Amino acid sequence: MTQAVIVAQALTTVAFVALGAAIAYRWYRDRSRTQAMLAGALITLALVSVLGRFQDQANPNVALSLISLVAFMVSGFFVLLFRNELIPLSRNALGAAYVLLAAAIVVGIVDVVGFQRTAPASATMLGLALITPWAIFTGEPIVRFWLASNRLPTVQRARLRFLSFGFGLLIVILFVAVIGGSSLQNPTVALLIALAALLVVPAIYVSFAPPALLRRIWRLAEENEVRAALQDLLIFSATRQVMAERAVYWAVRMMGATAGFVMDADGRVLATSGIDPERAAALAARPLESMYSAPLHLTEGQGAMAVLTGPYTPVFGSEEVSQLKGYANAVAAGLERARVTERMAAIENNKTQFLNLASHELRGPVTVIRGYVSMLESGMLGQLNERGLKAASVMAAKVSEMNELIEEMIEAARLEEGGVTLRAVASDLREIVRSAIEVVSPLLDSRHRLEVDMPERRVRVNIDRDRTRTIVANLLSNAIKYSPEGGTITCQVRARAGLAKVSIADEGIGIPRDGMATLFTRFGRIITPETEHLKGTGLGLFLARQLARLQGGDITVASVEGEGSTFTLQLPLAAAESHAAKDGSGDGAVESKQPRPRGAGARAGNA
Ligand code: ADP
């Protein structure tokens, strides 16, 4: 057993020396004051351990004892100075610590020189008088670090806690050694103490140089959190700024860094975390190689995401850096998406402003022109000759076109602002479809054949009549407009399974597959060689779908390019109708062809 104690004690000394060498090397590479203080503490501690090996317990050498004593006190004081680097002490506290250090050294010297062979009781008292200042120097930082660690990212937290644990264990060992007295002669106790001292070494080592595997384990929980946050971050950040701010916050947490910033492609600092923007801007102006950074590949050029080491996290390993690179790639993709979203939002906003402004500014003058044109036509302003009358009628038609356009724009702006009020009334959808056909009938020419197919009985719906007529008229006029070669246009009304449907099919130019997404957007037009000469605003379908949706319905489309399109408006059937239709017994469920309606029928017949 004694042999084991000797081996364990020897091992402890070797371990402390190795620890001293490791921190000395770190300090050599890093040269920061913080590292210097920790190096001072651990090297002096190693010195104490080595000197202890050479000391003859029965007949201690005074010089060795004196050096040991001073080294021991200084090691504790270095821990306090290390703390002072991380969390500065007040001047008074630091002054008091210096006085305590001097007093402890004096007491120690008096003890070593004057009371070599004192009685065991007073030896214990003296021992306590010596280790108490050491325990104060190291104990206060331990508590501070532990408390501070709660607010830190996992890697930093774990490091500080290991450091606190290592020095805490040393304090306990010292008190046990001093108070234990003769029981320490027991080989088992001595072995336990030596083993405990041995445990201090890895604890302190991982606090300043944790191996990659350990860092990965510490980060695991946080990484999962980051992954979940990343998803939110990439999808839901409304602007680049917000996205960059969140991204850098998580980068700092994930890396266990103290601060970080995101630099845009133009070199501007986009977001910071843990550092003020001015300092970040100064750092961003430096070569990025001097920081831990990862490039952000953006369309405008290369930006960067940099994280800064601090006293808690002196150096990042290659593993952290490659992790940062992977993260930065995801963030770059997110920033690009946010840029597109921002641009689109700005464009949409401009469109709304334009719609509002243009429609309201135009409405007044057009109303005045309309009034005068109608007065001209009616002869109220004097009788016009034939050419004058012709001109007045062309003007009236054009002004009415303009008016329709303005009404569309106003309606679109209203929809955008949520200002549309619907007047839902119980109606027969067939009536509305008929009146829509009347509206568009002037557009039909001899190349078009309109087939109308409606149930014999009423299709009861609770809807805004005017707006629904606008929707159907819009679909019909599109069917005519986008069938420049003519062909059959079928307008079919059905009531089935609680829904009323109006399908308008044409044999026109059809819609290219990649144009489908544009169809129902505001100002969305599909410009192809077949359509570029056709007039239009791209507001019609947008309005139609929005108005349908506001009434609990929708518009869907099926189309084959070059063959034709079918647009279907669906609306909820009125409650009673809906039940009957489900039973198959209602009016609407009876699907039979209706004789061609007035006006449209005549034209269809012509075709
Ligand atoms: P506008 O007709 O004023 O351009 P719309 O919103 O009514 O605007 O239609 C948007 C686009 O959808 C049109 O520009 C056209 O390219 C396409 N489109 C609409 N209806 C049809 C149709 N029946 N056949 C082919 N393309 C159509």
Side-chain angles (χ1 to χ4, degrees), residues 312-516:
Y312 293 120
T313 312
V315 186
F316 295 123
S318 59
E319 186 225 352
E320 273 102 348
V321 175
S322 72
Q323 195 190 19
L324 182 68
K325 285 194 175 132
Y327 178 69
N329 285 341
V331 171
L335 284 175
E336 288 304 277
R337 187 204 51 77
R339 182 188 293 284
V340 174
T341 316
E342 261 177 36
R343 265 196 205 140
M344 283 174 48
I347 292 171
E348 283 301 303
N349 196 26
N350 286 345
K351 281 184 194 172
T352 308
Q353 279 182 354
F354 168 75
L355 271 181
N356 254 327
L357 197 86
S359 53
H360 287 103
E361 292 301 314
L362 288 173
R363 200 186 213 178
V366 166
T367 312
V368 175
I369 297 171
R370 265 182 108 188
Y372 278 114
V373 170
S374 110
M375 281 153 89
L376 278 175
E377 268 191 312
S378 65
M380 275 172 76
L381 301 177
Q383 216 47 54
L384 292 177
N385 61 21
E386 203 179 322
R387 282 171 62 197
L389 273 174
K390 218 171 173 182
S393 108
V394 172
M395 274 163 74
K398 291 294 161 194
V399 169
S400 149
E401 245 177 59
M402 264 175 93
N403 195 53
E404 262 170 44
L405 182 65
I406 291 166
E407 288 306 322
E408 257 190 358
M409 284 161 75
I410 290 178
E411 185 84 331
R414 259 196 228 123
L415 269 171
E416 208 58 36
E417 289 161 359
V420 171
T421 10
L422 296 171
R423 272 181 297 274
V425 283
S427 323
D428 178 356
L429 187 59
R430 299 174 311 162
E431 292 299 324
I432 292 167
V433 171
R434 278 187 201 118
S435 73
I437 290 172
E438 263 179 47
V439 171
V440 300
S441 55
L443 303 175
L444 286 162
D445 62 32
S446 57
R447 291 169 300 170
H448 293 111
R449 220 169 74 84
L450 177 65
E451 274 188 8
V452 183
D453 173 6
M454 292 207 237
E456 273 173 1
R457 308 201 44 189
R458 281 186 300 168
V459 178
R460 273 187 281 220
V461 280
N462 272 327
I463 49 167
D464 183 315
R465 286 187 190 158
D466 290 344
R467 267 144 176 153
T468 309
R469 187 181 36 243
T470 308
I471 299 174
V472 178
N474 201 289
L475 297 180
L476 282 168
S477 72
N478 273 353
I480 302 165
K481 180 158 73 166
Y482 297 106
S483 313
E485 307 282 308
T488 306
I489 292 162
T490 318
C491 176
Q492 191 183 57
V493 180
R494 290 285 184 271
R496 196 180 287 160
L499 287 177
K501 288 189 179 179
V502 183
S503 294
I504 292 152
D506 63 59
E507 297 173 341
I509 56 173
I511 298 158
R513 198 181 275 271
D514 58 4
M516 288 293 189

Side-chain angles (χ1 to χ4, degrees), residues 235-268:
I235 301 171
F236 299 114
S237 301
T239 62
R240 290 181 90 231
Q241 180 76 41
V242 171
M243 152 112 214
E245 270 163 19
R246 291 191 194 164
V248 71
Y249 166 79
W250 281 107
V252 167
R253 277 196 65 171
M254 187 177 68
M255 299 280 288
T258 45
F261 62 87
V262 170
M263 190 178 86
D264 214 342
D266 58 5
R268 220 166 32 87

